[in-house]
Amino acid sequence: GENSKLKIKGYTGDVQWQRDSSKVFVNIPGQTADTCMINLLTSSTKFRAKITSGNCAPVYADSVIINVNVVTSPTGDSIQKFCSLVVPTIKNLVAGSIGDSIKWYTVPTGGVALSPSTPLVNGGVYFATRSALGCESYKRLKVTATVFKSANVTTPPSNFITCPGLTAQFHITGDGTGLTYKWMVSETGVGNYKYVTDNATYKGSSTDTLKILNVAGFMSGFSFKCVVKGTCSPADSALSTDAVLTVSSN
């Protein structure tokens, strides 16, 4: 994948550089100077110079071979997923085997290697090379990063006042990727929370809105809160503040 050059000295006449192509030497377009510029070899190749002068038969310099240490590109998953909760960076991308020397780029060829501390971008495309034998792989592994937005409570439930026999409801607004909801109730209002399940009294226990049907007076003082989980649960979760139900006797 690197550039090379060959130079010929002590000749008289015109130069045409040639390369071996399937065991037949062919002219290299544009390479007619004493120095031959060779770009991006990906395999070992033979070269020679053809010298012509006047009407004389051409003569050929001894062929030389440029050996290329072919370094295979690293392997890995083409889509790699992370949670924003851990603030993923380039060092969190996985390619190759343990002990491999890996570099990451934002372009398929050329470019500048990224610092391991570079934050990953959701939907960002990255390219990995593997280094060995003093060379870097010409082909690169393409990886797309998916960074899930961690769960967060943007609007907690509010206290609710109602009368016996009516319906009360608590609503929460969450933010994040792949959110799920689970409501909890404390019947003492001072802790000892337990998860709510849908039944004749509660509806929407696994949604962003919990409804309490046919509210009874003894439920006054019940406290509710909600656990919001994201795609990366169980680590990716957020807990709302409490909201209190007040059942008025009037």
Side-chain angles (χ1 to χ4, degrees):
E2 297 182 353
N3 297 331
S4 305
K5 62 182 178 180
L6 297 171
K7 187 177 181 66
I8 187 171
K9 296 180 180 180
Y11 69 92
T12 300
D14 299 320
V15 177
Q16 172 63 64
W17 287 93
Q18 299 180 321
R19 67 182 293 166
D20 181 17
S21 175
S22 300
K23 297 184 179 182
V24 176
F25 279 94
V26 295
N27 292 342
I28 305 174
Q31 297 297 325
T32 56
D34 59 351
T35 299
C36 178
M37 304 304 298
I38 303 165
N39 299 323
L40 302 177
L41 278 181
T42 57
S43 61
S44 298
T45 306
K46 288 182 179 180
F47 295 86
R48 73 180 183 184
K50 174 184 176 182
I51 312 296
T52 56
S53 180
N55 295 321
C56 297
V59 295
Y60 300 91
D62 291 338
S63 64
V64 296
I65 185 168
I66 296 179
N67 288 311
V68 176
N69 291 325
V70 179
V71 180
T72 57
S73 61
T75 57
D77 294 332
S78 60
I79 298 177
Q80 300 188 21
K81 301 177 181 180
F82 306 90
C83 293
S84 63
L85 186 69
V86 299
V87 192
T89 63
I90 287 296
K91 69 180 180 181
N92 296 116
L93 292 172
V94 177
S97 303
I98 295 175
D100 280 352
S101 177
I102 303 295
K103 293 180 181 179
W104 291 94
Y105 300 82
T106 57
V107 289
T109 60
V112 178
L114 297 168
S115 166
S117 61
T118 302
L120 295 180
V121 177
N122 182 42
V125 179
Y126 304 92
F127 300 86
T129 65
R130 188 174 71 89
S131 297
L133 306 173
C135 298
E136 194 171 358
S137 60
Y138 177 66
K139 294 183 178 180
R140 298 180 177 182
L141 169 68
K142 180 180 178 181
V143 173
T144 300
T146 299
V147 182
F148 296 119
K149 191 173 184 180
S150 298
N152 182 46
V153 175
T154 56
T155 305
S158 300
N159 295 336
F160 197 93
I161 301 175
T162 188
C163 296
L166 299 181
T167 297
Q169 72 175 30
F170 294 96
H171 179 76
I172 186 173
T173 302
D175 185 31
T177 304
L179 296 182
T180 61
Y181 303 87
K182 194 63 180 174
W183 287 91
M184 305 175 74
V185 61
S186 169
E187 296 180 354
T188 63
V190 290
N192 297 319
Y193 276 90
K194 61 182 180 181
Y195 286 109
V196 174
T197 56
D198 282 11
N199 53 33
T201 300
Y202 296 111
K203 299 296 181 184
S205 61
S206 297
T207 71
D208 59 359
T209 302
L210 176 68
K211 292 184 178 182
I212 306 165
L213 310 178
N214 194 25
V215 172
F218 71 86
M219 301 176 75
S220 187
F222 279 21
S223 183
F224 298 85
K225 60 184 177 182
C226 187
V227 178
V228 182
K229 292 186 177 182
T231 299
C232 300
S233 63
D236 180 16
S237 64
L239 181 63
S240 75
T241 53
D242 301 348
V244 177
L245 173 64
T246 299
V247 182
S248 175
S249 58
N250 297 327

